[in-house]
């Protein structure tokens, strides 16, 4: 049977019908977006301009910041615009684009977190072979492979989802388009195929999660054997921010997709969606720079050299 789509637009979840609360939502989201924008741009520029940070770990971190900045740009500006215009509408093509991009950046984000776990495993467990294993060619292949896999994966899910017929309703119980919510709107039996793909995807993500867990078991086993207190501290300093980012990404994702959404959605459901889609991009630059002296030093130099050129003569104090 051919797909006859009757829905031409969708209605996203609004934060409130009261104008004062809509303005409050705009202010909160705008502040969060600006924090994410400035934080991730600082990390990207610091890694790009500081030659001391031209290592695989920081190269992966720069890609992660690009993904965080991109993912929050897919959902938050549209939500801000809808509140300002007092509307909930998003076009059919706009919803498809939002699903594709959000799925793409989220998938790529998790792939890079997995790659970074492997990078830390090689650096701590096999330090003598680190430069041989994590050479420029291997890193480039990993990055290219991550972007290509995420692209194909997102295209498969988006195409499979929007091939369905939507004729029962067009109201999405989230402030952005998301596949599980869109599947609920389908009046076609073909949604079973997408559910099967989602289950297989969950299995693949679980395997990647196990890979991260095994990597860190080996890492901490090796760290405990380091006789120097300074050596152990340095190893923990490079691993703890990455572990925190993984925990934040996985925990918010589990809460967002495992806990069923009530109908109509409650305030708690809305908070969970915000935590999942907004919190990681805002917090990741903070998490990675808090205990990382190299990033802090690079950001300070960047601020002096790029924004205060007359103070370059005092850069030796940094």
């Amino acid at each position: 049977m051919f797909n006859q789509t009757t829905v031409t637009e969708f209605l996203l979840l609004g934060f409130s019908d009261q104008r004062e609360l809509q303005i409050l939502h705009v202010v909160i989201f705008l502040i969060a977006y600006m924090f994410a924008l400035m934080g991730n741009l600082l990390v990207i520029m610091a890694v790009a301009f500081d030659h001391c940070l031209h290592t695989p770990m920081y190269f992966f971190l720069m890609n992660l910041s690009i993904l965080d900045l991109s993912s929050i740009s897919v959902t938050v500006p549209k939500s801000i615009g809808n509140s300002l215009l007092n509307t909930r509408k998003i076009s059919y093509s706009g919803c498809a684009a939002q699903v594709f991009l959000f799925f793409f950046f989220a998938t790529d984000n998790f792939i890079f977190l997995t790659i970074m776990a492997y990078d830390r495993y090689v650096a701590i467990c096999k330090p003598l072979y680190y430069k041989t294993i994590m050479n420029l060619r291997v890193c480039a292949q990993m990055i290219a492979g991550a972007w290509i896999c995420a692209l194909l994966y997102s295209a498969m899910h988006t195409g499979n989802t929007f091939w369905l017929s939507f004729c029962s309703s067009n109201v999405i119980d989230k402030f952005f388009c998301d596949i599980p919510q869109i599947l609920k709107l389908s009046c076609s039996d073909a949604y079973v195929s997408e559910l099967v793909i989602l289950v297989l995807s969950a299995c693949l993500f679980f395997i990647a999660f196990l890979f991260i867990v095994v990597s860190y078991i080996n890492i901490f086993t090796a760290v405990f054997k380091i006789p120097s207190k300074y050596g152990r501290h340095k190893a923990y300093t490079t691993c703890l921010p990455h572990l925190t980012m993984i925990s934040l990404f996985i925990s918010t994702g589990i809460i967002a997709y495992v806990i069923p959404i009530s109908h109509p959605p409650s305030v708690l459901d809305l908070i969970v969606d915000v935590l999942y889609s907004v919190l990681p991009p805002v917090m990741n630059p903070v998490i990675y720079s808090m205990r990382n002296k190299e990033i802090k030093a690079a950001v300070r130099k960047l601020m002096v050299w790029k924004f205060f050129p007359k103070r370059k003569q005092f850069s030796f104090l940094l």
Side-chain angles (χ1 to χ4, degrees):
M1 185 178 70
F2 292 99
N3 174 34
Q4 298 291 331
T5 301
T6 58
V7 173
T8 58
E9 64 182 18
F10 294 97
L11 296 179
L12 299 174
L13 178 65
F15 281 76
S16 176
D17 293 328
Q18 299 180 20
R19 192 57 183 165
E20 294 80 5
L21 293 179
Q22 289 176 344
I23 298 299
L24 179 62
H25 155 241
V26 169
V27 172
I28 293 174
F29 263 39
L30 187 60
I31 292 173
Y33 185 67
M34 293 306 296
F35 266 105
L37 183 69
M38 291 186 294
N40 285 290
L41 278 178
L42 278 175
V43 172
I44 293 168
M45 293 173 67
V47 175
F49 288 108
D50 195 325
H51 294 286
C52 297
L53 301 183
H54 289 182
T55 62
M57 182 180 75
Y58 292 111
F59 198 41
F60 296 141
L61 178 62
M62 183 176 71
N63 277 268
L64 202 63
S65 292
I66 293 172
L67 293 170
D68 282 335
L69 186 56
S70 301
S71 66
I72 196 173
S73 298
V74 171
T75 57
V76 169
K78 176 61 179 176
S79 182
I80 292 174
N82 278 1
S83 288
L84 286 175
L85 298 175
N86 194 23
T87 183
R88 297 167 54 196
K89 294 180 181 179
I90 184 171
S91 66
Y92 184 89
S93 58
C95 187
Q98 198 173 62
V99 166
F100 172 78
L101 292 172
F102 186 78
F103 226 77
F104 170 65
F105 293 129
T107 303
D108 212 7
N109 198 307
F110 189 70
I111 294 175
F112 269 100
L113 287 173
T114 307
I115 291 174
M116 290 173 73
Y118 177 72
D119 174 73
R120 292 299 83 208
Y121 164 75
V122 176
I124 294 174
C125 299
K126 300 181 180 180
L128 297 178
Y129 301 99
Y130 180 75
K131 290 185 177 180
T132 303
I133 297 175
M134 300 299 294
N135 57 62
L136 181 61
R137 181 180 179 183
V138 171
C139 292
Q141 289 174 344
M142 285 182 173
I143 292 171
W147 285 86
I148 292 172
C149 287
L151 182 67
L152 295 175
Y153 182 73
S154 182
M156 176 186 67
H157 275 295
T158 306
N160 206 38
T161 299
F162 285 89
W163 176 81
L164 304 174
S165 299
F166 304 104
C167 50
S168 58
S169 173
N170 68 337
V171 179
I172 297 176
D173 291 334
K174 275 194 174 185
F175 73 93
F176 62 95
C177 292
D178 200 14
I179 289 179
Q181 298 303 315
I182 295 174
L183 290 179
K184 293 180 180 179
L185 308 180
S186 172
C187 54
S188 169
D189 293 333
Y191 75 92
V192 176
S193 63
E194 176 61 19
L195 289 177
V196 171
I197 294 176
L198 285 174
V199 171
L200 292 175
S201 302
C203 294
L204 292 176
F205 275 89
F206 182 69
I207 292 172
F209 174 71
L210 284 181
F211 178 82
I212 294 173
V213 171
V214 171
S215 296
Y216 269 100
I217 289 174
N218 290 322
I219 287 172
F220 285 120
T221 302
V223 169
F224 289 143
K225 295 179 181 179
I226 298 176
S228 168
K229 184 178 179 180
Y230 172 77
R232 290 196 299 270
H233 175 75
K234 187 176 181 180
Y236 285 132
T237 301
T238 58
C239 291
L240 287 179
H242 179 245
L243 268 177
T244 306
M245 287 195 296
I246 292 174
S247 302
L248 182 64
F249 182 85
I250 294 177
S251 60
T252 54
I254 290 175
I255 293 172
Y257 288 108
V258 173
I259 298 178
I261 296 178
S262 57
H263 188 78
S266 64
V267 176
L268 179 61
D269 295 325
L270 192 57
I271 293 174
V272 167
D273 291 338
V274 171
L275 291 178
Y276 169 63
S277 59
V278 178
L279 188 62
V282 172
M283 292 303 299
N284 281 349
V286 179
I287 292 170
Y288 222 93
S289 60
M290 276 177 59
R291 298 179 60 87
N292 194 301
K293 294 180 180 179
E294 288 81 5
I295 288 288
K296 288 181 180 179
V299 169
R300 283 197 296 265
K301 284 194 288 185
L302 181 68
M303 296 293 289
V304 171
W305 292 357
K306 299 297 177 182
F307 301 104
F308 303 99
K310 293 183 179 179
R311 294 178 57 187
K312 284 184 180 180
Q313 59 268 32
F314 302 107
S315 61
F316 66 90
L317 295 175
L318 297 176

